[in-house]
Amino acid sequence: MSFRWLLLPVLLLVALLQGCTLSRAQIREAGAIVAASPGREDSCHQADRCATPSPLLDAAQQAIADSTSEHPVNTVTLLDDSEAALVARLSLIRAAQHSIDVQTYIWDEDDIGQLVLNELVQAARRGVQVRILADQLFSFGDLGLLDRLARVSPNLEVKLYNPTFHDAQTPPLQFAAGVLCCFMKFNQRMHNKLLLVDDAIGITGGRNYQNRYFNWDPDFDYLDRDVMAGGPVGREMADSFALFWNHRRSVPLIRLRDVNRRIRSDRAAPGWPAPHYTDPARVARAQAEAEDPDWLAAWIGDDTLRVSQVNYFSDLPAKTDEPTKRSARELTGRLMRMVADAKHEVVVQTPYLVLSKRAQDIFKRLHRENPSPSIIISTNSLAATDAFAVYGLSYKHRRRYLTEYGFQIHELKPHADSAAEAWEEANEDQDDGPTGQPIAAPGKSAKSGKPRQRFPGNERRPGVFGSHGRRNRPAPLRSNGRRYSLHAKSMVVDDSFAMVGSHNFDPRSDHYNTEAGVIVYDPRFASEVRASILEDTLPQNAWTIARREPTIPVLGDISQAIGNLSSRLPLFDLWPFRYATSYEIKPGCAPLAPDNPKFQECYTPVGDFPDVAISPKLIYTRLITAFGAGVKGIL
Ligand SMILES: O=P(O)(O)OC[C@H](O)CO
């Protein structure tokens, strides 16, 4: 069958899918059912909304009180530690007296997803105004849950961002139709993360609401980073949230076709059942810590800095509609300027080392300066990443990264010590976990009734490669054990300022997704972030990427020259022998930069894809390196 015949039914389906919007009467009917649902009364009638005091919120409010327009005072706390990142959220939610605004890209229904959602519902029931804005593609897949959320309290509002076909759920056919019919719209995701309490203090960074962002997944977890910022910066967060909340792409639940239908067909109120946690003891521990002033002081409060200039930046939903509008790409523009102005050092941590054209130009120019700033990059190895298609392209450009931009690249190992220690801390009381093999999850598949299989990782990038299925799981390894992947996105420039946020510094973040983050102009904070990133580049945590030493003198040089030519071809890059490879430090040596003359003495090459087992995934990665140049812009 020719492509034309395949395309026709899809286009017809798209027309059908777009055509069936809800009538006003259906929206009104669902609204009336929601309003009439029993059990929506507030549980607290006190002025303070029965809030639990939090020293974190108190510190932010004190900063606001101490601020003048000329001399703002803000609090900032680096939340590298996953347990502190969770407990800070719980403490703030419980302390809220007026409002809680939450923005996220992924909201799962595992323990973390249920815990945070349940805390927000309880806050709404106390009388706090709670607004949740989640990107539609990977959040709240369960219509029953959305039905319950729509009805649970008049103080809780939920909207989903950018549903392509006015539905909360995206079955595979809709996914394909979205790619084919309206790629620009479908491909723009709201990648912002924010939890803002009483417009005074907020948390932003890389973490979504899913176990693996908090070290609660037994077999695959992310090294991630958030920042908590309080004071006048809270106002900037509130303004950004309002822009998204009021945008036409943010759709209330009763205006989504599938949720609306569900509400109208399910007239008996579903209520709000207690969550079913797979590990209730771990949940109880986090909740107890959130109410323990000593724990909060020791793990969070003592690390809080009072600083002057802190800004929250976010791109706007108009980023894809009006790409030339400067304010629509606010965070992206700021980051580019931060790098362009660097004098002696840029330290970048990103899971995906693929650069936009603008970023490439900036790094090329920096490398030509005399003296040129050092550029230190912490990113994923193929063994660690769950986005292997992106890795295929990053691998393709290694020569350019090393020679034209002067990057010092460190790729995270899948069993990095730093990540394993973080996991142990977050799971102090747990039994030792599985071995990296797929494990059966509690619960059964609604469709087949068979036990659900869990697999490490799942690439969450909409686009030509889709979002489901085996293709998107990380590559099988030769080694066993719990796996870690880098998900933190941060940058430090010249030891003087730092950004922690959702921006991956890749073309998707530059051109499509909306991103958000905090820039802190303070050397103490910059040095904390720098130290945290550099720890992930240490030999026990990462392989170093450096030029491959030719083993056969003349043939090696010829191979390098062909490889160079091949990597510059616009479409295909077929030469299999690459310019650079991964290195492991030798025992007794201290870490060295790859341009150090003693580097080859102290490091041993360990192959291009250390620890990755020979598998279709490895072949796929090589194919993307060879033929994937054309899709770089959308990855
Ligand atoms: O892995 P994430 O959460 O940074 O998502 C990356 C993608 O660009 C989202 O579209």
Side-chain angles (χ1 to χ4, degrees):
M1 198 190 280
S2 81
F3 181 66
R4 207 153 40 108
W5 292 109
L6 274 175
L7 196 60
L8 201 62
V10 176
L11 290 177
L12 275 174
L13 181 78
V14 168
L16 267 174
L17 287 168
Q18 280 191 310
C20 327
T21 49
L22 292 165
S23 69
R24 284 177 184 213
Q26 288 169 320
I27 295 169
R28 265 201 309 275
E29 188 188 343
I33 295 170
V34 164
S37 300
R40 284 163 55 89
E41 308 76 33
D42 289 359
S43 62
C44 170
H45 300 285
Q46 292 171 208
D48 71 354
R49 300 294 179 203
C50 305
T52 307
S54 164
L56 313 178
L57 180 57
D58 293 347
Q61 272 156 349
Q62 187 60 49
I64 293 172
D66 295 343
S67 292
T68 62
S69 47
E70 293 80 42
H71 300 290
V73 180
N74 288 285
T75 57
V76 283
T77 320
L78 187 60
L79 295 173
D80 267 346
D81 179 74
S82 57
E83 192 160 356
L86 173 62
V87 173
R89 283 169 166 88
L90 302 185
S91 168
L92 292 179
I93 293 171
R94 289 178 173 211
Q97 294 192 18
H98 307 286
S99 63
I100 306 175
D101 292 328
V102 188
Q103 234 175 324
T104 193
Y105 173 55
I106 297 171
W107 205 309
D108 207 337
E109 284 138 50
D110 54 13
D111 279 9
I112 285 288
Q114 289 189 67
L115 168 59
V116 177
L117 200 56
N118 190 51
E119 293 279 334
L120 290 169
V121 165
Q122 301 317 325
R125 284 177 160 171
R126 290 193 284 110
V128 177
Q129 299 303 311
V130 178
R131 297 184 291 182
I132 297 175
L133 177 58
D135 189 82
Q136 176 267 344
L137 203 54
F138 298 118
S139 300
F140 302 128
D142 176 4
L143 284 183
L145 173 64
L146 289 173
D147 182 10
R148 293 195 290 279
L149 276 174
R151 305 195 205 197
V152 69
S153 162
N155 305 321
L156 178 79
E157 285 179 86
V158 179
K159 291 185 180 180
L160 298 188
Y161 185 82
N162 199 16
T164 311
F165 298 113
H166 317 288
D167 283 326
Q169 295 189 317
T170 312
L173 210 53
Q174 267 201 20
F175 195 101
V179 173
L180 284 177
C181 85
C182 4
F183 187 71
M184 287 300 275
K185 175 170 159 50
F186 177 79
N187 201 32
Q188 187 201 53
R189 306 315 323 171
M190 185 190 73
H191 199 231
N192 312 32
K193 284 98 180 165
L194 177 67
L195 184 143
L196 174 64
V197 168
D198 289 350
D199 291 353
I201 184 165
I203 297 177
T204 186
R207 291 187 177 95
N208 293 294
Y209 294 105
Q210 192 177 47
N211 281 352
R212 62 181 50 147
Y213 295 91
F214 291 87
N215 274 316
W216 278 20
D217 190 294
D219 57 351
F220 185 86
D221 285 273
Y222 291 124
L223 261 186
D224 218 326
R225 181 174 300 114
D226 293 324
V227 58
M228 181 169 67
V233 68
R235 197 60 260 159
E236 295 173 18
M237 293 170 164
D239 292 344
S240 163
F241 183 86
L243 279 167
F244 277 85
W245 183 258
N246 297 321
H247 194 271
R248 62 187 154 73
R249 286 192 179 175
S250 302
V251 185
L253 293 183
I254 57 167
R255 288 180 175 269
L256 293 162
R257 294 182 309 184
D258 46 5
V259 183
N260 181 291
R261 266 198 304 272
R262 171 77 182 222
I263 292 170
R264 287 185 296 114
S265 66
D266 186 14
R267 285 176 173 269
W272 186 258
H276 280 289
Y277 297 120
T278 54
D279 192 338
R282 187 166 55 184
V283 170
R285 191 180 77 164
Q287 287 171 321
E289 287 164 355
E291 299 219 349
D292 177 351
D294 293 337
W295 197 97
L296 292 171
W299 289 93
I300 304 173
D302 290 355
D303 296 331
T304 298
L305 301 170
R306 270 166 70 97
V307 303
S308 180
Q309 200 186 346
V310 178
N311 293 114
Y312 180 76
F313 295 104
S314 63
D315 301 325
L316 300 182
K319 189 171 175 175
T320 42
D321 300 346
E322 302 172 65
T324 50
K325 196 169 152 191
R326 274 181 156 237
S327 60
R329 308 177 72 239
E330 196 184 15
L331 178 66
T332 305
R334 293 267 163 184
L335 294 178
M336 294 294 172
R337 286 195 287 282
M338 274 173 80
V339 178
D341 292 344
K343 296 284 173 289
H344 65 88
E345 186 186 76
V346 182
V347 180
V348 178
Q349 188 159 49
T350 172
Y352 318 118
L353 188 55
V354 191
L355 302 178
S356 66
K357 177 78 177 65
R358 189 170 165 200
Q360 290 178 39
D361 292 344
I362 292 173
F363 281 118
K364 196 183 278 183
R365 182 184 61 68
L366 284 179
H367 189 53
R368 284 192 191 133
E369 276 170 15
N370 191 10
S372 59
S374 8
I375 315 283
I376 302 172
I377 310 271
S378 160
T379 190
N380 273 316
S381 62
L382 181 61
T385 191
D386 59 349
F388 71 95
V390 183
Y391 186 88
L393 289 181
S394 136
Y395 175 70
K396 169 181 168 63
H397 293 301
R398 271 181 179 176
R399 180 191 179 95
R400 186 185 294 172
Y401 293 161
L402 298 184
T403 61
E404 293 180 25
Y405 315 150
F407 284 0
Q408 296 172 35
I409 303 174
H410 304 274
E411 293 190 345
L412 192 83
K413 295 178 176 176
H415 313 296
D417 281 3
S418 56
E421 279 160 24
W423 195 94
E424 299 298 338
E425 274 173 25
N427 294 276
E428 265 174 340
D429 309 324
Q430 308 302 305
D431 292 339
D432 208 15
T435 60
Q437 299 303 312
I439 59 168
K444 296 184 172 179
S445 155
K447 266 193 196 153
S448 64
K450 291 182 188 155
R452 275 197 208 108
Q453 289 292 301
R454 297 181 68 257
F455 294 89
N458 184 13
E459 190 174 328
R460 302 275 189 168
R461 301 172 79 89
V464 286
F465 297 103
S467 70
H468 301 287
R470 285 170 184 276
R471 279 175 312 168
N472 289 330
R473 291 175 203 139
L477 298 186
R478 289 200 296 253
S479 63
N480 280 331
R482 189 174 293 114
R483 297 174 72 162
Y484 304 96
S485 185
L486 182 65
H487 192 259
K489 307 106 177 30
S490 310
M491 180 190 287
V492 186
V493 178
D494 291 342
D495 293 333
S496 48
F497 50 101
M499 190 290 303
V500 176
S502 67
H503 202 292
N504 282 314
F505 318 114
D506 67 350
R508 278 199 67 74
S509 291
D510 277 0
H511 302 304
Y512 297 104
N513 292 343
T514 60
E515 306 289 354
V518 158
I519 301 181
V520 182
Y521 303 80
D522 183 277
R524 294 167 301 165
F525 185 79
S527 123
E528 271 186 50
V529 181
R530 182 178 185 274
S532 165
I533 298 175
L534 292 189
E535 191 188 342
D536 297 330
T537 69
L538 294 176
Q540 61 273 31
N541 301 320
W543 290 293
T544 298
I545 305 303
R547 181 176 188 269
R548 184 196 308 274
E549 281 299 285
T551 34
I552 313 168
V554 180
L555 277 182
D557 290 341
I558 294 172
S559 167
Q560 295 276 8
I562 300 175
N564 185 18
L565 190 70
S566 174
S567 70
R568 283 166 195 277
L569 295 176
L571 288 179
F572 305 140
D573 179 2
L574 300 175
W575 193 246
F577 307 105
R578 314 302 298 189
Y579 172 80
T581 193
S582 310
Y583 283 84
E584 181 76 88
I585 199 165
K586 288 182 184 164
C589 281
L592 296 172
D595 59 359
N596 188 301
K598 296 216 157 73
F599 182 85
Q600 294 290 343
E601 266 173 49
C602 267
Y603 282 75
T604 318
V606 286
D608 291 10
F609 307 111
D611 206 3
V612 175
I614 305 259
S615 60
K617 195 119 307 175
L618 191 58
I619 297 165
Y620 209 170
T621 304
R622 294 300 296 239
L623 288 177
I624 285 169
T625 302
F627 301 107
V631 296
K632 182 173 145 197
I634 53 170
L635 283 178

